Amino acid sequence: MRDLAGGFRYLLAGQRWVLGHGRWLGFGLLPGLVSLVLYAGALIGLGYGADDFAGWVTPFADGWSSPWLGLLRGFLTGLVFCLGLFLSVITFTAVTLLIGQPFYESLSEQVDRSEGGDVPESGLPLWRELWISARDSLKVLGRVLLYGILLFAAGFIPLVGQTVVPVLGFCVSGFFLTQELTSVALQRRKVDLPERLVLLRSRRMLVVGFGAPLVLAFLVPLVAVFLMPGAVAGATLMARDLTGADEAPQGPAGAGSGPGAGPGVTAGGFGPPPPAHS
């Protein structure tokens, strides 16, 4: 529970950071607005086509009497749309980060700069950073699809499919959402995808505590756009602590070693945002 709360505190700290640096908030909203338009169109199309898909995969039920035909296809339509939402939440971040790579890279660097210590730079040209980001996002998407298929199948299990599976879905979504968000800061620190996954799995509850509330919030239209800049800032704060980025700033008073602390992890760089400055 402590790690779950710690992850949520990183999320709040990131939102406070961008609110204290208004220029960066506006700067970070642009990629999310572009992605929102694209995903809104895709989800509207899915909403219209999900019932046709349910009828296509259940031809054996054409002769069923009411209400069983409607219940079966209505249930399948709901599952398809929920799977679409699940994938949208995960891929929205990846696509938005890809579209806004220069924006979020600059924002993440500014967070590092304002928190003190080293400000890592990848030293790679933009096209190379975009290629690495797209390649890693596709690899992560493969993992997400695997989990999505398993959870989709588990949704047919009575009771479990309506209780345990949704909770697992939010946790899985939260983990991979955080992976995408921290990739901005960790890629600059030359931490590649396998190392990132190992690092985040070592603090799984902390990661879920950061990502799961975002998944819930991202289900509300427009919220994802406005939370993305702060989410990148919070993920940068988390990445700093998980990698022991600096030794100087300590957590808030009474926080002990801070939520990012653990074996081999320096708990610096987390706390209230510094005084606003550009």
Side-chain angles (χ1 to χ4, degrees), residues 195-216:
E195 292 174 319
R196 290 202 295 267
L197 291 173
V198 170
L199 179 65
L200 296 178
R201 284 170 185 155
S202 70
R203 302 302 302 277
R204 188 175 282 109
M205 298 306 290
L206 183 75
V207 170
V208 170
F210 182 91
L214 269 179
V215 172
L216 288 169

Side-chain angles (χ1 to χ4, degrees), residues 196-265:
R196 290 202 295 267
L197 291 173
V198 170
L199 179 65
L200 296 178
R201 284 170 185 155
S202 70
R203 302 302 302 277
R204 188 175 282 109
M205 298 306 290
L206 183 75
V207 170
V208 170
F210 182 91
L214 269 179
V215 172
L216 288 169
F218 280 15
L219 295 178
V220 181
L222 293 178
V223 169
V225 174
F226 289 99
L227 292 186
M228 270 296 290
V232 172
T236 300
L237 293 171
M238 179 187 290
R240 288 171 60 86
D241 286 352
L242 289 177
T243 57
D246 69 276
E247 303 281 347
Q250 295 300 316
S257 60
V265 178

Side-chain angles (χ1 to χ4, degrees), residues 24-204:
W24 291 97
L25 173 61
F27 188 70
L29 288 177
L30 297 176
L33 289 172
V34 175
S35 296
L36 180 66
V37 172
L38 296 175
Y39 275 85
L43 286 175
I44 290 172
L46 179 63
Y48 279 107
D51 54 346
D52 292 334
F53 176 79
W56 179 71
V57 298
T58 58
F60 57 86
D62 287 341
W64 289 14
S65 60
S66 179
W68 306 115
L69 176 62
L71 287 174
L72 173 65
R73 290 183 174 168
F75 177 67
L76 283 176
T77 299
L79 279 179
V80 169
F81 193 76
C82 286
L83 180 61
L85 282 176
F86 171 80
L87 293 176
S88 295
V89 169
I90 298 300
T91 59
F92 178 88
T93 304
V95 171
T96 303
L97 290 175
L98 189 62
I99 292 173
Q101 179 77 16
F103 296 85
Y104 295 132
E105 191 81 16
S106 298
L107 191 156
S108 180
E109 287 180 5
Q110 182 64 22
V111 172
D112 271 325
R113 191 172 293 112
S114 67
E115 288 291 297
D118 294 334
V119 181
E121 296 182 4
S122 67
L124 299 174
L126 177 60
W127 71 267
R128 180 65 176 168
E129 290 181 350
L130 290 173
W131 164 251
I132 293 174
S133 180
R135 181 196 63 193
D136 290 349
S137 293
L138 286 174
K139 291 179 180 178
V140 170
L141 181 59
R143 291 177 167 87
V144 172
L145 286 173
L146 176 60
Y147 279 106
I149 292 170
L150 292 175
L151 291 171
F152 180 81
F156 290 96
I157 303 174
L159 188 61
V160 173
Q162 293 73 50
T163 54
V164 177
V165 170
V167 174
L168 288 177
F170 279 115
C171 290
V172 171
S173 299
F175 179 89
F176 285 111
L177 184 60
T178 305
Q179 189 280 322
E180 289 289 349
L181 289 165
T182 53
S183 68
V184 178
L186 293 176
Q187 187 172 310
R188 285 193 295 110
R189 289 169 166 80
K190 296 180 172 58
V191 181
D192 60 20
L193 179 60
E195 292 174 319
R196 290 202 295 267
L197 291 173
V198 170
L199 179 65
L200 296 178
R201 284 170 185 155
S202 70
R203 302 302 302 277
R204 188 175 282 109

